Amino acid sequence: MKFKILVTCFILVNTINCDTKKEYFDDVTANLLCRTYAVCNGSTPARTGIIGDSWTDLLLGYPAVETLRNQLENNHGYKFVGATLGGKTMQQVVNQGLQFQVIDEAGADVSAILLSLGGNDVQANLTEYVGNIQGVQNQRFAQIRTNLLTIVRTGNAFKQSKYGGQPIKWVIHGYDYPNPYLSPAIPNADEGCETKFNRSGLTPANAGVFTQQQLDGLNTLYKQVADEEPTLYYIDLRRTLGGPPISKAELMVDCIHANNLGFKLLAEKMAPLIKPITNVGL
């Protein structure tokens, strides 16, 4: 897949004539900034926004895998203003103020924002877990809780200050179960895989049980925060891909990401659950 992308880029670079090459790459850059950081120069007003990680954009907008964002846009009637990028953490969203950027670009009619975040906050720096799994997990869950409430509450304050009207409805989905026994799609990009746990010195007796417990804990946290915050809604996507304890290999592209069919099933489960919240969908 990487080879095909490189070949495509080479062909484009060498076949676009000099007069149009700069214009083409300006367009590509603009599209990339709009999709990954919601920097769209006010050109894409929308009622729904999205902020997410690789479950919403695995490869800089390139449809190598039709993620949740692609599925919802192509098959369920959504038009998003979004900041979606693989590897994105909830902490980065807070630090970069992406909730403000998405609201600003979406405009006065924005009424709902989908959040696909938290997995990278849990999986980063696995060596910190060694010898203190529960303690480190508790610390990270506490920070995720703080960051999630910060995104929602500061986002609503910004929206109502700038545009007035009702607060935004925020939707956070939990992840479905990973499969830590698979091989990475790209060598050494083995997040969520047993190989990554072992290389980091974290050697759970049963990687499947460990990842199931961690994911169930994150889903429980999201439900608790949603119960506390009236403008936040939680969507449970577990048991869509064959788990627990692990998702079926035939529905996964690697240890933590679904393939096209897997994301299609996830979107089909998610769309009717969020339609009453967003008032969008087929």
Side-chain angles (χ1 to χ4, degrees):
M1 180 60 67
K2 290 175 68 179
F3 176 75
K4 290 181 180 179
I5 296 171
L6 289 172
V7 169
T8 302
C9 291
F10 177 82
I11 293 172
L12 289 171
V13 168
N14 288 279
T15 57
I16 299 170
N17 64 54
C18 294
D19 291 336
T20 60
K21 188 181 295 183
K22 182 179 184 301
E23 180 181 345
Y24 169 80
F25 283 107
D26 285 347
D27 289 344
V28 170
T29 300
N31 182 68
L32 185 62
L33 287 172
C34 184
R35 185 176 181 91
T36 59
Y37 288 98
V39 179
C40 312
N41 297 319
S43 62
T44 56
R47 292 175 54 202
T48 52
I50 187 169
I51 305 173
D53 53 23
S54 53
W55 267 46
T56 54
D57 190 339
L58 189 57
L59 191 61
L60 297 174
Y62 182 82
V65 175
E66 295 286 334
T67 62
L68 274 179
R69 178 173 182 173
N70 299 103
Q71 295 286 345
L72 291 171
E73 288 182 326
N74 295 337
N75 302 319
H76 297 281
Y78 281 86
K79 176 188 175 185
F80 291 117
V81 166
T84 53
L85 182 64
K88 185 68 67 181
T89 66
M90 201 173 289
Q91 187 65 60
Q92 289 171 341
V93 172
V94 171
N95 293 346
Q96 297 165 359
L98 290 181
Q99 70 272 35
F100 309 131
Q101 183 64 29
V102 169
I103 294 166
D104 197 43
E105 286 292 343
D109 291 333
V110 61
S111 61
I113 294 180
L114 276 59
L115 301 174
S116 178
L117 295 165
N120 292 312
D121 300 81
V122 174
Q123 288 291 319
N125 302 319
L126 289 175
T127 55
E128 294 181 359
Y129 283 101
V130 176
N132 187 23
I133 291 176
Q134 194 60 54
V136 172
Q137 180 170 292
N138 290 343
Q139 291 172 3
R140 294 194 181 191
F141 281 5
Q143 188 61 56
I144 289 171
R145 179 186 184 280
T146 297
N147 286 338
L148 180 54
L149 287 172
T150 296
I151 291 168
V152 170
R153 291 173 178 175
T154 62
N156 279 337
F158 176 78
K159 188 268 181 183
Q160 292 184 293
S161 174
K162 181 163 186 174
Y163 299 121
Q166 296 298 311
I168 291 169
K169 295 177 180 179
W170 302 77
V171 179
I172 181 83
H173 75 76
Y175 301 88
D176 203 355
Y177 298 102
N179 186 328
Y181 304 115
L182 298 178
S183 299
I186 300 173
N188 298 320
D190 55 349
E191 283 72 23
C193 299
E194 187 177 37
T195 53
K196 181 68 172 285
F197 298 151
N198 294 339
R199 196 168 64 252
S200 302
L202 182 66
T203 54
N206 187 313
V209 172
F210 170 73
T211 55
Q212 177 192 351
Q213 291 173 343
Q214 196 171 58
L215 185 134
D216 283 339
L218 185 61
N219 275 271
T220 297
L221 172 66
Y222 287 161
K223 184 179 185 305
Q224 290 172 345
V225 179
D227 288 342
E228 174 185 342
E229 171 53 52
T231 63
L232 179 65
Y233 300 80
Y234 159 70
I235 301 298
D236 189 352
L237 294 179
R238 288 173 293 180
R239 297 171 176 82
T240 306
L241 303 178
I246 61 175
S247 290
K248 293 180 179 179
E250 59 265 32
L251 296 176
M252 303 292 286
V253 71
D254 60 17
C255 296
I256 58 176
H257 300 105
N259 57 22
N260 287 340
L261 177 57
F263 274 122
K264 179 177 183 291
L265 295 174
L266 289 164
E268 287 175 348
K269 182 173 184 177
M270 186 176 189
L273 296 175
I274 63 176
K275 182 177 180 180
I277 304 167
T278 63
N279 294 317
V280 177
L282 303 177

